[in-house]
Amino acid sequence: MKKLKTMFSALALCAGMTAFAHAAPETIKFSHVVAENTPKGQMALKFRDLVAERIGDKYVVEVYPNSQLFGDGKEMEALLLGDVHFIAPSLSKFSKYTKKLQVYDLPFLFKDMEAVDRFQQSEAGQQLLESVKSKGLIGLGYLHNGLKQLSANDPLHVPGDADGKKFRIMSSDVLAAQFEAVDAVPLKKPFSEVFTLLQTRAIDGQENTWSNIYSKKFFEVQPYITESNHGVLDYMVTTSTEFWMTMPDEDRAVLKKALAEAVAHGNAIANEKSMKDRQKILESGRSKIITLSDDERQQWVEVMRPVWGEFQDEIGEDIIQAAVASNQ
Ligand code: LMR
């Protein structure tokens, strides 16, 4: 009898272990290329924490910042292959999948981040989240970083100052055209390579937001930053149709809500982060911040603005008009 009891307890233990093994939470990987102390970095961590709190018995979110898992040349393919489940690339990096998102790269399109936000929340902006659907990707929402500044080895006051200089850009033809418009040489390079390219002087400059310039220490190797606010760097939080649609409905609803809250958190801190990082760069004394006069700024606008016409057909005139209207 005692033997039988022991056998039953052993069986029960095995069954329990099997049930436990089945119940192990599924890993969700969130990969991105920036530092943790940025709006995107903070958003991803918030998402991880909310998931742990609300549905941690079923899912655990692992966040891989700083291109640790995939750099920006590879993260979309990795998403489609199921090697990662969430990414939030810059809107400038989707041109292989849709030309419509190029609207966000048009120079001097948005007067400030409030205008960007209005456009993103408009019908046209919301429809753009669907523009990658046919490629197996789902845009779950926009996340702000901020407006871009121009950094360089030499001071940039007027467009002629950029003549012949090499600038790193994200993988966007609009950004290439924007630098060609000022007779500069654009080079499409992954974010993870920018610091070294600048440090070794293989390139002369780059464009980015205050939080990226600060967190990746670009300001330590770029003596001048022109506060040009000439374009926007925002993100689309993206998953794959295959991952998202095969998940149980009730779990998807919990993740969707957690993500929306995490994005709202990232958006709420983006502007303040931007201003604080600008201040830290200023106080470091490593980089001089150049403020453009109205006349100087107008010169950049006049030279870069014709780029819009080159991409009007690919993007769609209606989308450009909707973006322009968001400035009012
Ligand atoms: C860049 O490549 O400069 C940015 O898109 C990086 C990022 O994700 O903010």
Side-chain angles (χ1 to χ4, degrees):
M1 188 64 193
K2 198 172 168 208
K3 236 181 177 178
L4 216 71
K5 253 187 174 172
T6 323
M7 223 168 85
F8 272 126
S9 347
L11 276 173
L13 192 71
C14 281
M17 275 167 67
T18 319
F20 182 73
H22 277 285
E26 205 175 301
T27 302
I28 294 178
K29 293 184 181 170
F30 194 137
S31 168
H32 66 83
V33 301
V34 293
E36 289 196 322
N37 61 341
T38 56
K40 182 157 62 181
Q42 292 297 303
M43 180 278 280
L45 294 178
K46 182 83 175 173
F47 178 56
R48 178 196 68 187
D49 295 348
L50 289 175
V51 170
E53 210 176 286
R54 294 176 187 173
I55 195 168
D57 54 332
K58 287 182 155 182
Y59 299 96
V60 54
V61 176
E62 290 177 358
V63 180
Y64 297 89
N66 294 313
S67 311
Q68 240 169 52
L69 197 57
F70 298 105
D72 52 22
K74 292 272 178 289
E75 61 181 12
M76 288 196 206
E77 280 163 37
L79 184 66
L80 287 168
L81 289 170
D83 293 336
V84 62
H85 309 97
F86 290 99
I87 57 175
S90 151
L91 293 161
S92 314
K93 294 177 184 167
F94 283 92
S95 60
K96 211 170 134 191
Y97 301 92
T98 175
K99 299 292 177 204
K100 295 196 183 307
L101 288 172
Q102 294 184 127
V103 66
Y104 287 101
D105 284 339
L106 296 178
F108 297 103
L109 172 59
F110 298 105
K111 71 170 186 197
D112 51 29
M113 287 306 290
E114 283 74 37
V116 175
D117 199 59
R118 275 194 294 277
F119 175 62
Q120 291 177 346
Q121 300 318 317
S122 72
E123 205 185 321
Q126 288 295 305
Q127 271 171 13
L128 287 178
L129 292 173
E130 312 253 303
S131 61
V132 287
K133 212 170 168 182
S134 64
K135 301 293 191 308
L137 298 172
I138 298 184
L140 292 168
Y142 291 109
L143 175 71
H144 293 320
N145 185 326
L147 296 176
K148 290 179 292 185
Q149 320 303 337
L150 288 166
S151 76
N153 290 333
D154 296 308
L156 302 175
H157 290 278
V158 291
D161 295 335
D163 195 340
K165 292 204 172 348
K166 293 190 199 121
F167 286 88
R168 176 269 173 174
I169 55 164
M170 296 181 272
S171 56
S172 153
D173 290 345
V174 179
L175 299 180
Q178 169 195 276
F179 279 102
E180 278 158 7
V182 295
D183 295 321
V185 183
L187 296 163
K188 292 179 183 169
K189 295 284 178 189
F191 186 59
S192 56
E193 291 177 21
V194 182
F195 180 83
T196 309
L197 289 167
L198 294 171
Q199 190 186 35
T200 57
R201 302 236 165 177
I203 55 173
D204 303 293
Q206 61 90 45
E207 52 163 20
N208 231 304
T209 58
W210 290 115
S211 71
N212 281 346
I213 294 173
Y214 179 71
S215 60
K216 286 293 175 191
K217 303 191 186 327
F218 299 162
F219 71 101
E220 293 186 0
V221 288
Q222 290 277 267
Y224 300 97
I225 304 174
T226 299
E227 188 161 31
S228 50
N229 291 320
H230 63 281
V232 62
L233 197 169
D234 265 16
Y235 308 111
M236 186 160 86
V237 184
T238 311
T239 187
S240 74
T241 317
E242 193 168 337
F243 167 70
W244 198 233
M245 298 320 288
T246 51
M247 154 174 303
D249 289 351
E250 64 277 17
D251 294 356
R252 187 164 57 243
V254 177
L255 292 181
K256 197 172 171 185
K257 189 160 182 292
L259 195 70
E261 287 177 35
V263 166
H265 171 70
N267 284 342
I269 62 170
N271 191 41
E272 198 190 324
K273 182 114 209 47
S274 194
M275 288 305 98
K276 276 193 178 151
D277 289 347
R278 179 191 183 280
Q279 188 59 24
K280 286 185 210 155
I281 293 171
L282 191 69
E283 282 164 11
S284 76
R286 302 288 291 264
S287 200
K288 182 173 170 1
I289 298 179
I290 297 171
T291 309
L292 297 176
S293 68
D294 288 349
D295 174 57
E296 286 170 341
R297 191 162 198 278
Q298 193 50 32
Q299 290 187 46
W300 290 93
V301 174
E302 270 163 30
V303 185
M304 287 183 165
R305 177 70 174 66
V307 166
W308 294 22
E310 281 179 51
F311 294 89
Q312 190 172 298
D313 292 346
E314 279 183 7
I315 297 169
E317 180 59 22
D318 49 335
I319 295 174
I320 299 178
Q321 282 320 315
V324 170
S326 68
N327 284 314
Q328 269 115 45

